[in-house]
Amino acid sequence: MKRTTLTLTLIIFIAMLGIAQEQEPKKNREIKTMLGGNSKARGFGALELKTTEIKDDIVLMPGVTGGMILNNHFVLGMGFYGIANEVDFVGVQPVTKQFLYGGYGGLVLGAIIAPREIVHIYVPVLLGAGGAYITENDYRNDNGRYINEFDESSAFAVIEPGIEIELNITKFFKIGMGASYRYVTNSSLVNMTDDDLSGYSGSFSLKFGNF
């Protein structure tokens, strides 16, 4: 199911790239290069808040993104997100309450459809890596030290395609609301699987730049 969802999302992303290209007037369809005279590159930065679910716990993941908008339609940037609230769950080894910390980030590629319209579509894909840290503390002794402490950590790869609705407020500010699917692989945790770390997210963003 997870692989099917990822495949369908990537197909939609490729289709959106084609639609974005078709939005250009025919007279502007000559070949353009990133550094050519006809190219337009603008910078932007964004503050974003994602909500997701991990091990039946609601997780808040604030983040920052930034980069370049090329020829009004294509985004090349970076994005980073981290867990902000306490995430606790019952682990497998040992069978006690565990606490999860971590985050992820990487390269962001995107396509903007009809960017000059007040309301338009943005289709991003994040390709990167992250890390998760799990700890367990049973209780403290008379000296304030934890007893039966357990820790584990792991790096992992992540692919996160998504789709957003953006609203132009001014030429330099817009807001976005969207959804994405976080596909995590190659983690090596005992108390949490790749499927546990993967999942859907909802997002809200404030974007600033020369749009």
Side-chain angles (χ1 to χ4, degrees):
M1 179 65 181
K2 184 170 67 173
R3 293 183 181 274
T4 301
T5 301
L6 178 63
T7 302
L8 289 175
T9 309
L10 290 177
I11 291 174
I12 293 172
F13 174 71
I14 294 171
M16 291 296 188
L17 286 176
I19 294 173
Q21 185 63 35
E22 288 299 319
Q23 298 298 319
E24 286 292 315
K26 291 184 178 180
K27 65 180 181 180
N28 291 330
R29 289 184 182 174
E30 68 276 7
I31 295 176
K32 300 177 181 179
T33 62
M34 187 177 297
L35 301 178
N38 292 326
S39 296
K40 297 178 181 178
R42 299 183 174 91
F44 77 97
L47 302 175
E48 188 170 352
L49 178 63
K50 292 186 177 185
T51 59
T52 187
E53 185 175 312
I54 299 177
K55 281 284 193 179
D56 299 322
D57 209 346
I58 299 300
V59 180
L60 301 178
M61 301 193 75
V64 294
T65 61
M68 296 185 299
I69 301 174
L70 307 174
N71 294 328
N72 299 316
H73 289 291
F74 303 103
V75 173
L76 176 62
M78 301 288 290
F80 301 93
Y81 305 89
I83 295 175
N85 59 306
E86 184 176 273
V87 181
D88 60 80
F89 62 97
V90 176
V92 177
Q93 179 184 343
V95 186
T96 56
K97 181 178 288 188
Q98 311 287 310
F99 298 90
L100 172 68
Y101 306 91
Y104 65 95
L107 177 68
V108 175
L109 304 174
I112 306 173
I113 301 171
R116 295 180 180 85
E117 300 299 326
I118 295 177
V119 179
H120 53 271
I121 301 296
Y122 173 46
V123 186
V125 173
L126 183 146
L127 308 170
Y133 172 70
I134 294 176
T135 183
E136 175 267 328
N137 297 311
D138 267 350
Y139 61 90
R140 297 189 182 193
N141 61 15
D142 294 338
N143 296 323
R145 300 187 58 146
Y146 285 113
I147 303 300
N148 296 335
E149 187 171 21
F150 173 84
D151 298 298
E152 65 169 336
S153 62
S154 173
F156 54 79
V158 60
I159 301 175
E160 186 172 24
I163 186 169
E164 293 184 24
I165 297 176
E166 294 185 328
L167 175 64
N168 292 336
I169 305 299
T170 71
K171 292 182 179 180
F172 305 99
F173 172 61
K174 57 184 174 181
I175 61 175
M177 293 176 288
S180 61
Y181 183 80
R182 183 183 60 262
Y183 175 73
V184 171
T185 185
N186 293 330
S187 68
S188 58
L189 297 169
V190 174
N191 288 276
M192 193 164 288
T193 66
D194 289 347
D195 287 336
D196 292 329
L197 292 170
S198 301
Y200 290 96
S201 297
S203 64
F204 177 80
S205 60
L206 304 175
K207 302 184 178 184
F208 307 88
N210 183 10
F211 302 115

